[in-house]
Amino acid sequence: MIRNEVFSCFVFYGVLLVVKMYVIAIITGQVRLRRKAFANPEDALRHGGLQYHREDPYVERCRRAHLNDLENILPFLFLGVIYSLTGPTLSVARFHFLVFFLGRVLHSAAYLLAFRAPTRSLAYVLAQLPCVSMALQILMVVSSYA
Amino acid sequence: MIRNEVFSCFVFYGVLLVVKMYVIAIITGQVRLRRKAFANPEDALRHGGLQYHREDPYVERCRRAHLNDLENILPFLFLGVIYSLTGPTLSVARFHFLVFFLGRVLHSAAYLLAFRAPTRSLAYVLAQLPCVSMALQILMVVSSYA
Amino acid sequence: MIRNEVFSCFVFYGVLLVVKMYVIAIITGQVRLRRKAFANPEDALRHGGLQYHREDPYVERCRRAHLNDLENILPFLFLGVIYSLTGPTLSVARFHFLVFFLGRVLHSAAYLLAFRAPTRSLAYVLAQLPCVSMALQILMVVSSYA
């Protein structure tokens, strides 16, 4: 499988997006430390006292960006594996993966930097297009096995 | 793999469940627009003003339904791939996938329409049964490799 | 694939971690029942009345532990499958999987039992190390397919 060109192309973008998700987790942690806003009393105690066991709007923004990644990038990882197995043309497959990748990178930037609406929503829709396309193509291949 | 009957049967239900998750995301977005309740100030500004940067009970309900899907459907996608590789009988495997699928569709309906308790909890338990069964069967196959 | 030693070793730890996530969901449900703190009015009505439609600090702690698992264990399931396909040595691969497994078990214990900081954060970092290592090794194998 790893020597299949389409599969390897998918893996390249898939792993980069996992790394992108890890980066959001690291940013969230750094923002918690700088703004002194901790979700757990034990963390607040270590960093100055229980008064820092509190919410912060920017920490919540980071968490929403992360959760949206879970909702979208994780299903992409599943769809991408299966779609790669259905034997698409490399150029068409790469286009699917690249649009999703760029859409999700723009989505994260728009979320963390609070770009004017509807930039973030458009990035979300852009990234969903290849996912819906892959889902439909997969269903056409396997629908006789229901 | 895609020509394996059990695997293709799993893929069919797995992709339908991913589409079901996407539908919940779309519903959440529509409810935010209709009820004017936005998680981000930039979205509220675009749709009438910062007073709409607020929570709404039904939006929160949609979000809980979505999060519960992440907690259950995503692990199923992993278990189902591996279970398909262990060579189960098609009829037994299809029964596992179908019970999970029906349980999760009922769960979403029960959540979004606020069915009387314990309908939603029973749907959750129903869907977990094939997952626990698949997990145990997989562990029996691979436990010598720990 | 299932007869590949590295893959089977990965599957063993991966499935155990999925079961660990299910256990956190069960604990959350039990804590909701004991503390009478329900996220949905229909659940509260069944268990004594709408006054129990409320938040509870320990329920929220369980939910944070679960969400952190989604953020970290689910990407591991993806990375582990791909990494197994890149042909690593069994002993090196097992070390990656075992460190992640132990890190995440410690993370859950530290979260649910509120260990003193920074135990939970160290467990998180420990578990991320094999993930970053796998991600880099995968990218080196497939980077020519971008």
Side-chain angles (χ1 to χ4, degrees), chain A residues 12-28 62-74 76-77 100-112 127, chain C residues 71 75 78-79 124 128 132 135 139:
Chain A
F12 178 77
Y13 291 109
V15 171
L16 283 188
L17 287 168
V18 167
V19 172
K20 193 203 72 51
M21 290 176 66
Y22 289 164
V23 170
I24 290 194
I26 293 168
I27 291 173
T28 308
C62 294
R63 293 184 59 220
R64 288 195 298 276
H66 200 167
L67 186 58
N68 198 284
D69 272 355
L70 295 180
E71 293 168 2
N72 293 283
I73 292 178
L74 297 178
F76 166 80
L77 297 180
F100 184 80
F101 177 78
L102 295 175
R104 293 310 303 183
V105 169
L106 176 59
H107 185 274
S108 294
Y111 227 141
L112 296 185
Chain C
E71 293 169 1
F78 172 72
L79 293 177
Y124 161 79
Q128 282 314 88
V132 171
L139 285 176

Side-chain angles (χ1 to χ4, degrees), chain B residues 61 64 67 71 74-75 78-79 82 85 111 114-115 117-118 120 124 128 131 135 138-139 142-143 145-146, chain C residues 2 5 7-13 15-16 18 22 25 39-43 46 63 66-67 70 74 77 94:
Chain B
R61 176 178 287 277
R64 287 195 298 276
L67 186 57
E71 293 168 2
L74 296 178
F78 173 72
L79 293 177
I82 309 294
L85 296 174
Y111 226 140
F115 288 177
R120 194 191 76 248
Y124 161 79
Q128 282 313 89
C131 290
I138 295 167
L139 285 177
V142 300
S143 58
Y145 296 93
Chain C
I2 206 77
E5 280 193 319
F7 186 71
S8 291
C9 179
F10 157 69
V11 165
F12 178 78
Y13 291 109
V15 172
L16 284 188
V18 167
Y22 289 163
N40 296 293
E42 63 268 30
D43 303 336
R46 185 178 157 83
R63 294 183 59 221
H66 201 168
L67 186 58
L70 296 180
L74 297 177
L77 298 179
R94 178 184 281 133

Side-chain angles (χ1 to χ4, degrees), chain A residues 82-103:
Chain A
I82 309 295
Y83 171 71
S84 298
L85 296 174
T86 63
T89 318
L90 177 59
S91 59
V92 172
R94 178 185 280 135
F95 183 71
H96 280 75
F97 307 147
L98 192 59
V99 169
F100 184 80
F101 177 78
L102 295 175

Side-chain angles (χ1 to χ4, degrees), chain A:
Chain A
M1 276 168 87
I2 207 76
R3 288 193 205 95
N4 176 297
E5 280 193 319
V6 171
F7 186 72
S8 291
C9 179
F10 157 70
V11 165
F12 178 77
Y13 291 109
V15 171
L16 283 188
L17 287 168
V18 167
V19 172
K20 193 203 72 51
M21 290 176 66
Y22 289 164
V23 170
I24 290 194
I26 293 168
I27 291 173
T28 308
Q30 292 302 311
V31 173
R32 283 197 184 281
L33 285 168
R34 271 184 229 159
R35 299 224 174 182
K36 286 195 165 291
F38 301 98
N40 296 291
E42 63 268 30
D43 304 335
L45 274 176
R46 184 176 158 84
H47 294 283
L50 279 177
Q51 70 272 29
Y52 301 122
H53 177 215
R54 59 182 182 184
E55 287 200 353
D56 173 90
Y58 195 71
V59 169
E60 295 309 305
R61 175 179 288 275
C62 294
R63 293 184 59 220
R64 288 195 298 276
H66 200 167
L67 186 58
N68 198 284
D69 272 355
L70 295 180
E71 293 168 2
N72 293 283
I73 292 178
L74 297 178
F76 166 80
L77 297 180
F78 173 72
L79 293 176
V81 168
I82 309 295
Y83 171 71
S84 298
L85 296 174
T86 63
T89 318
L90 177 59
S91 59
V92 172
R94 178 185 280 135
F95 183 71
H96 280 75
F97 307 147
L98 192 59
V99 169
F100 184 80
F101 177 78
L102 295 175
R104 293 310 303 183
V105 169
L106 176 59
H107 185 274
S108 294
Y111 227 141
L112 296 185
L113 302 173
F115 288 178
R116 214 162 69 167
T119 313
R120 195 192 75 247
S121 305
L122 291 178
Y124 161 78
V125 171
L126 177 69
Q128 282 313 89
L129 294 177
C131 289
V132 170
S133 167
M134 289 191 292
L136 292 177
Q137 291 177 71
I138 294 168
L139 285 176
M140 283 191 290
V141 171
V142 300
S143 57
S144 58
Y145 295 94

